Amino acid sequence: MWTLLNKVTKHWNLLTKYWRQPPLTLIHGDAHLGNVYFRDDGTAGFYDWQLVNANTPLCDVSYFLFFAVSPNDLKANEKRYLSYYKQQLVLYLQRKKNDGNANNNDGVTDADVDILNGLTDERIWSLYASRAVWSLLACTVTAGIGDFVPDQELVKGFTAKVVEHVKRVNAIDEIDHILSLYGVGDGGKEKKS
């Protein structure tokens, strides 16, 4: 896992370039259950908006699924969850675009919907799997804080969950694939011309 973290750190700018290709959405940046609240009508909202930015929607989706869904459920259903998310986002944009009030569609265009519709299952998986590094980074930060999470057994359990997730989604190969798109290969070393 240290190899993966070193590679991600070394090539952060290239990975960010890949993650920030359209379609972009407004993301929360720290989408876990501890930052969720529920209203009386059953709708949910988020606390703690200090990391909000424009990025791939899979940032929040991958982070939230990892922290909110049991590993067994996630393993069995994550591709369905990802497909459902895309479907709902497309439907939402189509409703905004077609709401009949040109002043109230938030500027959503056919091109916006087309970009999202063009988001292939392969790209969704690539974004999802490569974003697994966030859970790995969160794990290493949490383990190093000590006073923040003093229960070392909890940290060990969390670490094991993260490592299993990163392996299962094949995050290392996904990161290598992304870096190869920018001419970086052979374990994160620059390709020689």
Side-chain angles (χ1 to χ4, degrees), residues 141-152 155:
V141 168
T142 302
I145 291 177
D147 289 340
F148 183 68
V149 182
D151 184 343
Q152 290 304 303
V155 172

Side-chain angles (χ1 to χ4, degrees), residues 11 24 28 52 87 134 169 193:
H11 299 290
L24 300 178
H28 180 272
V52 68
Q87 174 191 30
W134 279 111
V169 300
S193 313

Side-chain angles (χ1 to χ4, degrees), residues 42-54:
T43 59
F46 279 101
Y47 294 116
D48 191 11
W49 284 87
Q50 62 196 10
L51 298 175
V52 68
N53 67 89

Side-chain angles (χ1 to χ4, degrees), residues 183 189-193:
K189 297 176 186 160
E190 303 291 331
K191 285 185 180 177
K192 298 195 175 46
S193 313

Side-chain angles (χ1 to χ4, degrees), residues 7-176:
K7 190 178 297 187
V8 167
T9 302
K10 180 178 179 183
H11 299 290
W12 185 256
N13 290 339
L14 293 178
L15 293 169
T16 299
K17 184 177 179 178
Y18 180 80
W19 292 327
R20 291 199 173 157
Q21 293 175 14
L24 300 178
T25 60
L26 185 67
I27 67 160
H28 180 272
D30 196 15
H32 61 78
L33 286 175
N35 283 335
V36 176
Y37 66 90
F38 295 92
R39 297 180 187 103
D40 290 340
D41 67 0
T43 59
F46 279 101
Y47 294 116
D48 191 11
W49 284 87
Q50 62 196 10
L51 298 175
V52 68
N53 67 89
N55 213 315
T56 174
L58 276 295
C59 286
D60 279 352
V61 172
S62 62
Y63 195 64
F64 186 82
L65 287 176
F66 174 76
F67 284 104
V69 179
S70 75
N72 290 336
D73 185 14
L74 193 56
K75 182 178 179 179
N77 297 301
E78 66 197 333
K79 288 189 178 183
R80 259 192 25 230
Y81 294 149
L82 296 174
S83 177
Y84 181 77
Y85 174 78
K86 177 190 170 188
Q87 174 191 30
Q88 293 303 305
L89 189 54
V90 167
L91 288 173
Y92 175 79
L93 287 178
Q94 287 172 332
R95 279 193 309 270
K96 289 300 270 182
K97 183 180 75 65
N98 298 325
D99 72 356
N101 182 350
N103 296 325
N104 205 19
N105 69 1
D106 293 332
V108 176
T109 66
D110 287 331
D112 296 322
V113 176
D114 289 344
I115 288 171
L116 196 56
N117 271 324
L119 190 59
T120 64
D121 290 344
E122 292 80 18
R123 174 127 168 99
I124 289 171
W125 183 260
S126 177
L127 291 163
Y128 173 77
S130 65
R131 294 302 298 193
V133 299
W134 279 111
S135 54
L136 187 58
L137 290 169
C139 179
T140 58
V141 168
T142 302
I145 291 177
D147 289 340
F148 183 68
V149 182
D151 184 343
Q152 290 304 303
E153 290 306 309
L154 181 65
V155 172
K156 287 178 188 176
F158 180 70
T159 302
K161 178 182 174 187
V162 168
V163 169
E164 172 57 31
H165 178 68
V166 166
K167 287 179 181 177
R168 187 179 50 70
V169 300
N170 211 0
I172 294 170
D173 286 351
E174 233 16 92
I175 295 292
D176 284 342

